[in-house]
Amino acid sequence: MFLQKLEKASILGLPKRFQNVNERLNTVRGKVEFNSFIKRDIPFQGKVSVHYRDRSDIQEIIDVLFYTLYIIKNRYSSNSLFKVRNVYNELLSKYSKIKPKSDTIFKAKSHPVLANPLFVQFKKVLELAEVIIKSFSPDFNQESKKQISGNLYNTSELFELYIEKILKSNLKGWNLDAQKEISIYKNHFFSRKMIPDFILHNVNQDKYAILDAKFKTMNYNYLDVDREDIFQLHTYSYYYHDKNVLSGLVYPLQKEVDVSRKHISNTLDQYSNRFGIFGVELNKNSNIKSIKESESKFINQINELLNQESEKL
């Protein structure tokens, strides 16, 4: 996910800032600094004192991005960086060779240049970079509770991006909108915005499915599903009314889907559309093979349910 975001953000180049430069050059660039010219360049010796504005790299951002790619390269392979190899080579040539620390990451994430619309996408890239560095660098094991809490928050976002990637790559006949705003009670003082994680839309039949990712423990126990989360999903479902065919909560499962616990039902036990608990098995015993198998089961179940509802129409 980090690599995808970096590839997209770096299309227009790495973030740069303008800075004032005073220099003695063989040619005039910008404007001549007459005070310096009189003091230093007379009698003329072939150079002129000039003042100009130039774009320069932001070292903190360079260091954080390169070190994150360095971690990915070492943990996986050079091939994993194929799509961002040009960015990697540029970062390598500019890397300070100083391993980024917490203050470096903070300066990179909070740099004013990220307010520039050209570079705003690097905000998310740097947030993901922070998660990766803190997860795989032992120097960050002693971070404060506040920093650890922030790391967990970002991990929740990572899970959303992970589920988004699975859905986008495997949905059949359905378009996906992530984090799309839905306005309700427009033109009233109590107007609100709802933002489901994933809205699936079958354009041909004009039908919708709503999924929300929850980075919470799921062992198929009563208390694993928050009351507020169920109400939230049913609100989203009701917004689309008879156009909604499926809604569900998606979790990192601690064990394989327990079909005996009846994890899918007609909404409120009476409507034709469905509500269910879904997820991918992610626990301490998971490996790449088991995760891939669980991803396949998850997306196959979603596609199967969507196809069943489509066939009814």
Side-chain angles (χ1 to χ4, degrees), residues 153 157 160 164 177-184 191-200 209-214 229 232-233 235-237 239-240 248-249:
Y153 172 76
E157 289 190 344
E160 291 178 15
E164 178 183 347
D177 279 322
Q179 300 289 322
K180 181 180 178 180
E181 288 190 356
I182 299 173
S183 297
I184 58 174
S191 62
R192 291 291 186 273
K193 292 184 183 296
M194 302 189 298
I195 310 178
D197 288 337
F198 312 114
I199 299 176
L200 285 56
I210 312 295
L211 299 175
D212 236 30
K214 300 298 178 184
D229 292 340
Q232 182 185 50
L233 253 292
T235 301
Y236 296 158
S237 176
Y239 175 83
Y240 288 103
L249 298 167

Side-chain angles (χ1 to χ4, degrees), residues 59-198:
Q59 196 60 53
E60 293 86 358
I61 293 179
I62 295 291
D63 289 350
V64 170
L65 293 179
F66 174 78
Y67 191 68
T68 307
L69 291 175
Y70 173 79
I71 291 173
I72 295 172
K73 180 182 177 182
N74 284 350
R75 287 190 62 85
Y76 300 100
S77 69
S78 299
N79 292 334
S80 61
L81 304 183
F82 179 76
K83 290 187 177 181
V84 293
R85 61 191 183 281
N86 292 333
V87 179
Y88 175 82
N89 291 333
E90 182 179 355
L91 291 169
L92 175 61
S93 68
K94 298 174 179 178
Y95 181 49
S96 69
K97 297 180 174 59
I98 300 175
K99 186 176 178 179
K101 299 185 181 296
S102 293
D103 60 336
T104 309
I105 296 174
F106 175 78
K107 289 177 181 178
K109 288 172 53 184
S110 58
H111 199 283
V113 76
L114 299 180
N116 186 327
L118 293 175
F119 307 126
V120 69
Q121 293 188 64
F122 278 93
K123 288 183 178 180
K124 177 60 68 176
V125 176
L126 290 166
E127 287 177 4
L128 295 174
E130 180 182 23
V131 174
I132 294 170
I133 292 174
K134 287 186 175 182
S135 298
F136 297 107
S137 178
D139 293 354
F140 288 93
N141 288 341
Q142 302 303 319
E143 294 288 342
S144 68
K145 291 182 179 180
K146 181 177 180 181
Q147 288 171 316
I148 292 173
S149 175
N151 191 13
L152 291 174
Y153 172 76
N154 283 326
T155 305
S156 178
E157 289 190 344
L158 273 175
F159 181 66
E160 291 178 15
L161 290 169
Y162 168 63
I163 296 300
E164 178 183 347
K165 179 183 176 183
I166 296 174
L167 291 170
K168 272 189 174 180
S169 303
N170 298 282
L171 283 175
K172 298 177 181 178
W174 294 71
N175 297 330
L176 174 70
D177 279 322
Q179 300 289 322
K180 181 180 178 180
E181 288 190 356
I182 299 173
S183 297
I184 58 174
Y185 301 117
K186 296 178 182 178
N187 303 319
H188 293 79
F189 76 90
F190 48 85
S191 62
R192 291 291 186 273
K193 292 184 183 296
M194 302 189 298
I195 310 178
D197 288 337
F198 312 114

Side-chain angles (χ1 to χ4, degrees), residues 1-14 83-84 87 118-122 125 164 168:
M1 287 168 281
F2 168 80
L3 295 175
Q4 291 174 327
K5 295 288 183 181
L6 176 61
E7 180 186 7
K8 184 177 179 181
S10 59
I11 290 175
L12 298 177
L14 297 171
K83 290 187 177 181
V84 293
V87 179
L118 293 175
F119 307 126
V120 69
Q121 293 188 64
F122 278 93
V125 176
E164 178 183 347
K168 272 189 174 180

Side-chain angles (χ1 to χ4, degrees), residues 220 256-264 301:
Y220 305 101
E256 190 175 352
V257 173
D258 188 351
V259 294
S260 67
R261 301 305 300 273
K262 298 182 179 179
H263 65 290
I264 302 173
Q301 185 176 45

